[in-house]
């Protein structure tokens, strides 16, 4: 493997880790402007993380290893996924290991560790948030799996770099009925997995509606900083995965994957694509309302059905061709 491949992996991890707070700040800023407010600025999430890192960590009495290990595990799973998903290049030292099932399992592992931490606190809010989170995850993870699997059928593999390379060289796959259905299903799954409106409101602390916030109420200081960074990285990763699968142009593929120029071009294009998706997300949150909690399973079941239809359409279209 060339030095370009190793640089691409390191670049993906650094860009996701350093840029995730900026993506969150960007979405907040766009939303604030649309609501007629000045906003705190794009760099505010970085300031919040710096402030939390200076505070004293607090561990509630009675909590076990699940509570203490969850923040580090959440960030660790996000780092591994950042290395595996082809955000800048499809030819990296870990490309052969970037399987769809592995990536979805790592995302689910991060969700599970946070839910276990919420249960470990023994509080009513923690248990409530963990229960709601696992209910959402039970429908979200299969939807992500099936959405990407619909694109893997024409490629003949579940390897993500191969799927992205095939989509980049055959754009007709993305405009097919299967591609459009998979796009819609994955978009809804991203909203649910990252706790955004209409599934969850990341800025609320109302006990009747919150999901993610209920699980992390007991965290403080550096632990809370890691939890916040992990959540921001997951948002950036899922937006990056969405852009890589359905807008793959700009990613270094094929012969260009060993070119420094292609890698240098892929970086700003990735930032632009994720920035646009973040802006679309902010616009949607302004004009959408959060659905009531007992309607969330209906919404996610609908996205799962779209993903299932995408797999079926992809299978029959591949068989016909």
């Amino acid at each position: 493997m060339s030095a370009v491949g190793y640089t691409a992996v390191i670049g993906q991890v650094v860009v996701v880790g350093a840029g995730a707070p900026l993506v969150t700040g960007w979405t907040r800023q766009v939303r604030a402007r649309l609501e007629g407010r000045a906003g705190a600025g794009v760099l505010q999430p970085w300031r919040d993380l710096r402030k939390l890192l200076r505070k004293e960590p607090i561990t509630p009495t009675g909590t076990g290893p699940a509570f203490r290990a969850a923040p580090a595990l959440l960030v660790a799973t996000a780092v591994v996924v950042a290395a595996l998903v082809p955000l800048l290049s499809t030819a990296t030292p870990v490309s052969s290991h970037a399987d769809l099932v592995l990536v979805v399992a790592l995302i689910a592992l991060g969700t599970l560790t946070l839910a276990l931490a919420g249960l470990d606190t023994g509080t009513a809010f923690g248990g409530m948030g963990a229960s709601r989170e696992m209910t959402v995850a039970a429908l979200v993870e299969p939807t992500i799996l099936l959405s990407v699997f619909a694109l893997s059928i024409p490629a003949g593999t579940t390897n993500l770099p191969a799927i992205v390379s095939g989509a980049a060289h055959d754009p007709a796959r993305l405009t097919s009925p299967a591609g459009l259905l998979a796009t819609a299903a994955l978009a809804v799954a991203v909203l649910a997995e990252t706790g955004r409106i209409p599934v969850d409101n990341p800025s609320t602390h109302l006990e009747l509606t919150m999901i993610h916030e209920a699980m992390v109420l007991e965290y403080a200081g550096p632990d809370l900083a890691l939890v916040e960074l992990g959540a921001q990285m997951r948002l950036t990763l899922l937006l990056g995965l969405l852009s890589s699968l359905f807008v793959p142009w700009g990613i270094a593929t094929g012969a260009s994957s060993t070119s420094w120029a292609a890698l240098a071009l892929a970086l700003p294009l990735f930032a632009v694509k994720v920035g646009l998706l973040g802006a679309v997300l902010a616009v949607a949150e302004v004009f959408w309302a959060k659905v009531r909690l007992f309607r969330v399973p209906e919404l996610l079941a609908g996205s799962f059905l779209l993903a299932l239809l995408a797999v079926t359409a992809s299978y029959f279209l591949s068989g016909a061709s």
Side-chain angles (χ1 to χ4, degrees):
M1 181 61 62
S2 65
V4 178
Y6 288 99
T7 304
V9 172
I10 297 173
Q12 290 181 176
V13 174
V14 172
V15 166
V16 171
L22 299 180
V23 173
T24 300
W26 165 246
T27 58
R28 291 176 182 174
Q29 187 68 24
V30 172
R31 182 175 178 177
R33 292 294 183 179
L34 291 174
E35 292 175 346
R37 299 183 287 110
V42 177
L43 296 177
Q44 186 59 42
W46 266 118
R47 301 188 190 103
D48 294 338
L49 292 177
R50 184 181 60 185
K51 179 178 66 176
L52 289 172
L53 289 173
R54 293 175 177 176
K55 292 187 175 182
E56 178 184 358
I58 299 175
T59 302
T61 304
T63 54
F67 181 85
R68 293 188 292 271
L73 284 174
L74 183 65
V75 174
T77 54
V79 169
V80 175
V81 173
L84 292 174
V85 176
L87 302 175
L88 302 179
S89 174
T90 58
T92 65
V94 296
S95 292
S96 59
H97 304 290
D99 188 80
L100 164 63
V101 178
L102 175 60
V103 170
V104 175
L106 288 169
I107 294 174
L109 179 60
T111 302
L112 178 62
T113 55
L114 205 56
L116 289 176
L119 290 173
D120 197 19
T121 61
T123 62
F125 280 162
M128 177 188 67
S131 175
R132 293 175 176 179
E133 180 73 6
M134 295 314 297
T135 300
V136 171
L139 290 171
V140 169
E141 310 301 345
T143 301
I144 297 176
L145 193 64
L146 287 180
S147 299
V148 185
F149 186 69
L151 300 179
S152 73
I153 293 177
T157 178
T158 56
N159 182 265
L160 286 175
I163 295 173
V164 171
S165 295
H169 294 97
D170 186 12
R173 296 181 187 177
L174 306 176
T175 57
S176 65
L180 297 176
L181 288 170
T183 303
L186 187 58
V188 176
V190 168
L191 294 177
E193 182 65 34
T194 55
R196 313 296 298 197
I197 292 176
V199 176
D200 190 16
N201 189 345
S203 60
T204 186
H205 284 82
L206 296 176
E207 64 274 11
L208 295 179
T209 61
M210 60 183 177
I211 299 178
H212 173 78
E213 292 296 326
M215 297 184 294
V216 303
L217 282 176
E218 302 299 321
Y219 281 110
D223 290 335
L224 182 57
L226 287 177
V227 170
E228 293 297 328
L229 178 61
Q232 293 163 1
M233 290 178 67
R234 286 162 65 90
L235 172 63
T236 304
L237 280 170
L238 288 171
L239 292 180
L241 177 63
L242 191 63
S243 68
S244 295
L245 289 172
F246 300 104
V247 194
W249 301 280
I251 299 176
T253 61
S256 65
S257 60
T258 58
S259 169
W260 289 104
L263 186 61
L265 178 63
L267 179 58
L269 287 178
F270 169 74
V272 169
K273 289 187 287 187
V274 172
L276 288 175
L277 288 176
V280 171
L281 177 62
V283 172
E285 289 184 342
V286 170
F287 293 99
W288 287 350
K290 183 186 178 303
V291 299
R292 286 181 285 183
L293 188 63
F294 65 87
R295 301 296 298 272
V296 169
E298 298 178 10
L299 174 66
L300 299 182
S303 67
F304 177 78
L305 180 59
L306 289 177
L308 191 60
L309 289 174
V311 172
T312 305
S314 181
Y315 176 78
F316 282 108
L317 288 175
S318 297
S321 61

